[in-house]
C-alpha cells in the first residue's frame, strides 16, 4: 500500500483530532474530524479516496498530548496504518486498545507516494528497495492485541472473575 | 537493590514484595478519575458487559471520581446531553465523588482531587486526562489513560498490563530569583530534555528546592511533566504534603509517607541549579520550544490568559492581582482569568483579588477548563497571539490553527497584560 501522508515530529492529538470536536465521541462519528485542520487530507479521507490499509508516516512522538481516544478512533475508522519513529504513550495504548495498527520504525526512509509493505519484522520500501527494522510494541500490550482489542480482552477477564465469585 | 517510589507503589498495588522497571503487573487502582469524557467511558463500559448477562455495575463507586469541567456550563446541546448521561450514570451507580457544575463544589478535575483530599501518598491514581500526572505532587503514582482503559478499570478495579516504568531522578537545588517560579522551572526542564525526553518514564523530583516548595508549586511541576512525555511526575511525600492534606484538604486520618529506597535504581539523574534561572517562554507550537524571556521580549500579544489546572490557584491569582492592582491592562489586549476551582474563586473574592483584576480590565470567567483547550470560549482570531499560563501551545490549541500560543508564568502574564507585549516581570517599572 502507498504512503498517503508524511508528517513531521511531535504531531499532537490536537492536530489529529482538534479539541473543538471533543463532544463527539462515538467511533462511527469521529472519523469525519480526523485531521480537521489539515483540510486537504481531511477531505480526501471523507471522500474515501484513501484506501483502507494505507500508510501514514510520521516522525518522533506521534500522538503526544491529550488522552482523547477520538484521536485513535478517528484513524481506526479509515483503517489507516500509522508508522512513526516513536509514539506518545497514551496514544499508543489507545491505538492498541481500539485495534488501530501502529508500527514503530525509527529509521524509515520514505516519501509520500512510496509503496510500502510489512514483512515480518521489517518495513519494506518497494520504491527505494530498502528494509527498515520494526521495534516491538510494549510487551505488556501483546495480550490485548492477541484478544483483538481491550474490550474483548476485558470481557473475557470479567467472565472469568464472575465465574470465580462465590454465588 | 532498592525500589523507586513508583516501583514501591506498583509492588503494593499488585501484591508483590518487589517489582522493577520493565516488569508487567496488574495493579489495583485507588482512585479512577474522569471528566466529561466519562460519557465515552460509559459507552465502552456497557460494551464490555454486552452479551455477558452480567449486570453492568462499577467495581467500587467510592473509588471513582467524576468532575464536569471541560465545557462548563455546556456550550452545545451535544455536550449538555453527554453531561446529562454522566449525571444519570453517577446517580445509578452511587458515585459520590461527583462534582457537577456548581459554585459550591465545582472546578477543574486536577484541582478538585487534591483540594478535597481524594489523593493520598502511595495511591495508584488513573484518569482519562493526560494531566492526571498532576497528582504525583502528593506522592501518588498518577497517570493518564484512554476511555477504553478506564472502562476496564471500572469493570475490574485494576489497570491491566502495566509495564513498570523506569524513573528519571531530577535533583533541583538553589533558590528562585524574584518573579521566577516553578512554572519557569518546569518549562526549562521540558526545554532541556525535550517533548519526548521522558516518554514512558517517570520523573521523580528531589532536592532542597523541592523540600522548600509548597504543594501548589509541586502541582505545577507534576502537571507539566507529561509535556516531557513522562508517564507521570512524582514528589515523594513529606511534611509539606501532610500540611497540605490536613490543613487545606480536610484529611483527618493518618497519612502514610512513602519514600524511595536509598539504593533505588534510576534510568538517569538530572541536576538543575535554579540560582540563575530567568523567566522562560514556550514558543509555538511545541511545549519544548523554550527560550529565556529576553529572546522574545517585546512580542505583541492580543490575549493574556491566567488560569487552568497548571496556574489557576490562589497564589497565581495573587501574583496577577497584585501586579494589576490600581493599573489598567493595555488597550488592545484582552485578559481572561479562570480560577481552577470555585473554592479558589471564593478565596480570591474575599482577598479582593477578583475586583483588582476586573478593575484593571480583566474578564474573570467561571472555574473550569475555559479557553485552555479551545472548545468553549476565548478562541483566538486569525493571526492573533496569546500569552497563557496554561500548559499546551499546540497548533489549534486555543481554537484556531491560524493563531499562536506562548506559555509563561503568572508573573510574566500579568506584567505583559500591562504593556501588551511579552514583558519581563523583573523590569523595574512593572514590578
Ligand atoms: S485546564 Fe486545560 S490542561 Fe487542565 S484539565 Fe482542563 S483542558 Fe486539560
Amino acid at each position: 500500500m502507498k504512503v498517503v501522508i508524511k508528517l513531521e515530529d511531535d504531531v499532537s492529538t490536537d492536530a489529529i483530532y482538534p479539541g473543538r470536536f471533543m463532544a463527539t465521541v462515538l467511533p462511527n462519528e469521529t472519523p469525519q474530524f480526523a485531521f480537521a485542520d489539515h483540510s486537504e487530507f481531511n477531505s480526501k479521507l471523507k471522500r474515501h479516496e484513501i484506501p483502507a490499509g494505507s500508510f501514514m508516516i510520521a516522525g518522533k512522538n506521534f500522538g503526544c498530548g491529550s488522552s482523547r481516544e477520538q484521536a485513535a478512533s478517528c484513524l481506526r475508522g479509515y483503517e489507516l496504518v500509522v508508522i512513526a519513529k516513536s509514539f506518545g504513550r497514551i496514544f499508543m495504548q489507545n491505538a492498541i486498545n481500539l485495534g488501530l495498527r501502529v508500527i514503530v520504525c525509527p529509521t524509515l526512509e520514505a516519501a509520500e507516494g512510496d509503496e510500502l509493505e510489512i514483512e515480518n519484522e521489517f518495513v519494506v520500501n518497494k520504491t527505494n528497495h530498502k528494509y527498515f527494522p520494526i521495534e516491538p510494541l510494549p510487551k505488556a500490550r501483546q495480550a490485548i492485541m492477541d484478544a483483538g482489542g481491550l474490550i474483548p480482552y476485558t470481557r473475557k477477564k470479567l467472565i472469568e472473575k464472575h465465574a470465580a465469585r462465590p454465588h | 537493590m532498592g525500589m523507586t517510589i513508583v516501583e514501591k507503589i506498583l509492588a503494593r498495588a499488585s501484591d508483590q514484595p518487589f517489582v522493577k522497571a520493565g516488569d508487567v503487573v496488574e495493579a489495583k487502582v485507588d482512585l479512577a478519575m474522569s471528566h466529561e469524557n466519562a460519557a465515552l467511558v460509559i459507552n465502552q463500559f456497557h460494551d464490555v458487559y454486552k452479551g455477558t448477562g452480567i449486570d453492568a455495575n462499577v467495581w467500587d463507586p467510592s473509588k471513582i471520581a467524576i468532575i464536569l469541567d471541560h465545557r462548563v456550563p455546556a456550550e452545545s446541546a451535544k455536550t449538555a446531553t453527554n453531561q446529562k448521561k454522566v449525571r444519570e450514570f453517577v446517580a445509578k451507580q452511587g458515585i459520590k465523588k461527583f462534582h457537577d457544575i456548581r459554585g459550591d463544589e465545582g472546578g477543574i478535575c486536577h484541582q478538585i482531587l487534591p483540594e478535597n483530599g481524594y489523593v493520598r501518598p502511595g495511591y495508584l491514581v488513573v484518569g482519562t486526562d493526560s494531566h492526571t500526572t498532576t497528582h504525583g505532587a502528593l506522592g501518588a503514582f498518577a497517570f493518564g489513560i484512554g476511555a477504553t482503559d478506564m472502562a476496564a478499570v471500572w469493570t475490574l478495579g485494576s489497570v491491566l498490563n502495566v509495564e513498570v516504568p523506569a524513573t528519571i531522578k531530577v535533583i533541583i537545588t538553589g533558590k528562585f530569583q524574584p518573579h521566577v517560579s516553578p512554572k519557569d522551572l518546569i518549562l526549562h526542564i521540558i526545554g532541556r530534555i525535550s517533548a519526548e525526553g521522558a516518554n514512558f518514564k517517570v520523573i521523580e523530583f528531589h532536592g532542597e528546592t523541592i523540600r522548600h516548595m509548597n504543594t501548589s508549586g509541586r502541582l505545577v511541576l507534576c502537571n507539566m511533566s507529561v509535556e516531557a512525555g513522562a508517564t507521570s511526575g512524582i514528589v515523594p511525600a513529606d511534611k509539606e504534603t501532610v500540611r497540605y492534606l490536613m490543613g487545606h484538604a480536610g484529611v483527618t486520618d493518618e497519612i502514610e509517607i512513602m519514600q524511595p529506597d536509598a539504593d533505588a535504581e534510576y534510568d538517569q539523574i538530572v541536576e538543575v541549579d535554579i540560582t540563575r534561572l530567568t523567566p522562560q517562554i514556550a514558543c509555538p507550537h511545541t511545549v519544548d520550544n523554550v527560550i529565556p524571556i529576553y529572546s522574545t521580549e517585546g512580542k505583541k500579544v492580543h490575549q493574556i490568559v491566567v488560569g487552568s489546572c497548571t496556574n489557576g490557584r490562589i497564589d497565581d491569582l495573587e501574583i496577577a492581582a497584585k501586579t494589576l492592582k490600581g493599573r489598567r491592562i493595555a488597550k488592545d489586549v484582552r485578559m481572561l482569568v479562570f480560577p481552577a476551582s470555585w473554592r479558589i474563586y471564593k478565596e480570591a473574592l474575599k482577598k479582593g483579588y477578583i475586583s483588582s483584576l476586573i478593575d484593571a480590565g480583566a474578564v474573570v470567567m467561571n472555574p473550569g477548563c475555559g479557553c485552555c483547550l479551545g472548545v468553549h470560549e476565548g478562541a483566538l482570531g486569525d493571526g492573533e497571539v496569546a500569552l497563557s499560563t496554561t500548559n499546551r501551545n499546540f497548533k489549534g490549541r486555543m481554537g484556531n490553527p491560524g493563531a499562536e500560543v506562548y506559555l509563561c508564568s503568572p508573573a510574566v502574564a500579568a506584567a505583559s497584560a500591562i504593556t501588551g507585549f511579552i514583558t519581563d516581570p523583573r523590569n523595574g517599572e512593572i514590578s
Side-chain angles (χ1 to χ4, degrees), chain A residues 12 14 19-20 23-24 26 37 60-61 65-67 69 86-87 89 93-94 97 139-140 150 153-155 161, chain B residues 22 43 47-48 50 78-79 82 128-130 144 146-149 152 156 161 195-196 199 231 375 392 394 397:
Chain A
S12 73
D14 283 84
R20 59 187 188 277
T24 299
L26 296 178
D37 292 330
K60 289 186 295 186
N61 209 16
S66 140
S67 66
E69 198 162 284
S86 63
F87 288 90
R89 179 185 65 87
Q93 278 181 206
N94 288 340
N97 291 346
K139 59 183 180 206
L150 185 60
Y153 182 78
T154 309
R155 190 181 292 138
K161 198 174 155 189
Chain B
N43 274 334
D47 206 4
V48 168
K50 201 179 280 168
K78 198 161 201 169
T79 293
N82 282 342
T128 45
D129 189 279
S130 56
T148 305
D149 269 320
L156 303 168
N161 315 72
E196 60 149 17
N199 221 350
T231 300
V375 296
R392 282 196 174 133
F394 302 147
R397 179 73 182 178

Side-chain angles (χ1 to χ4, degrees), chain A residues 3-12 16 35 55-64 75 81-88 91 103-110 112 116:
Chain A
V3 175
V4 288
I5 190 166
K6 182 171 178 172
L7 300 158
E8 65 276 29
D9 290 342
D10 298 314
V11 172
S12 73
I16 304 168
F35 285 93
F55 294 101
M56 296 182 55
I57 62 175
K60 289 186 295 186
N61 209 16
F62 182 82
C64 60
L75 302 178
V81 180
V82 190
I83 309 179
K85 290 196 164 77
S86 63
F87 288 90
F91 177 84
I103 293 169
V104 184
C105 182
T107 56
L108 180 66
E109 292 163 24
E112 272 173 35
L116 305 187

Side-chain angles (χ1 to χ4, degrees), chain B residues 94-369:
Chain B
I95 293 168
K96 297 280 182 311
K97 295 184 172 90
F98 173 60
H99 292 253
D100 208 332
I101 308 165
R102 295 170 57 114
D104 58 349
E105 61 175 34
I108 304 173
C109 57
H110 304 310
Q111 179 59 27
I112 293 301
L113 260 49
E115 74 179 25
N116 286 283
Y118 292 167
V119 179
R120 307 291 172 82
Y123 267 22
L124 180 67
V125 179
V126 292
T128 45
D129 189 279
S130 56
H131 292 105
T132 301
T133 58
T134 310
H135 312 290
L138 296 165
F141 177 34
F143 58 98
I145 59 175
T148 305
D149 269 320
M150 185 57 86
V153 172
W154 284 6
T155 307
L156 303 168
S158 49
V159 264
L160 308 164
N161 315 72
V162 182
E163 196 164 320
V164 180
T167 298
I168 301 174
K169 182 175 187 175
V170 177
I171 304 169
I172 301 160
T173 51
K175 260 205 175 114
F176 286 111
Q177 286 180 32
H179 305 291
V180 182
S181 67
K183 179 63 165 286
D184 301 298
L185 170 59
I186 191 65
L187 289 176
H188 168 76
I189 292 173
I190 295 162
R192 188 157 139 189
I193 69 177
S194 94
E196 60 149 17
N199 221 350
F200 292 89
K201 294 174 188 162
V202 166
I203 302 176
E204 208 180 87
F205 291 98
H206 291 268
E208 51 158 313
T209 313
I210 301 295
R211 273 200 305 280
H212 294 124
M213 191 182 287
N214 63 13
T215 298
S216 180
R218 295 172 179 187
L219 288 163
V220 176
L221 300 184
C222 293
N223 176 273
M224 288 198 72
S225 295
V226 68
E227 307 309 332
T231 300
S232 198
I234 189 162
V235 177
D238 60 8
K239 277 198 286 215
E240 161 60 18
T241 319
V242 175
R243 183 199 67 84
Y244 176 84
L245 287 174
M246 299 202 133
H248 288 270
V251 173
T252 49
D253 43 340
E254 206 187 320
I255 296 165
E256 186 198 351
I257 291 192
M258 194 188 265
Q259 287 285 328
D261 292 324
D263 57 345
E265 207 167 289
Y266 293 97
D267 177 81
Q268 274 176 62
I269 296 181
V270 177
E271 293 184 37
V272 183
D273 178 1
I274 60 163
T275 312
R276 284 173 208 287
L277 184 70
T278 57
Q280 305 282 303
I281 305 281
C283 301
H285 295 287
T286 55
V287 185
D288 61 354
N289 191 9
V290 176
I291 54 172
I293 190 163
Y294 66 79
S295 319
T296 181
E297 252 185 294
K299 167 105 192 156
K300 174 85 198 96
V301 295
H302 306 93
Q303 179 162 299
I304 304 263
V305 177
V306 173
S308 84
C309 59
T310 315
N311 283 120
R313 276 176 290 278
I314 194 71
D315 43 351
D316 304 314
L317 301 185
E318 178 180 351
I319 291 170
K322 289 197 167 156
T323 309
L324 292 174
K325 193 176 163 105
R327 293 192 157 112
R328 304 286 294 278
I329 61 172
K331 261 270 157 275
D332 46 358
V333 164
R334 315 180 286 277
M335 182 173 184
L336 308 180
V337 178
F338 58 111
S341 72
W342 281 99
R343 188 181 296 185
I344 293 168
Y345 194 116
K346 284 184 283 183
E347 194 179 338
L349 265 176
K350 253 191 228 141
K351 293 187 160 155
Y353 299 161
I354 300 293
S355 53
S356 297
L357 291 165
I358 295 173
D359 289 345
V363 171
V364 180
M365 301 153 69
N366 64 293
C369 295

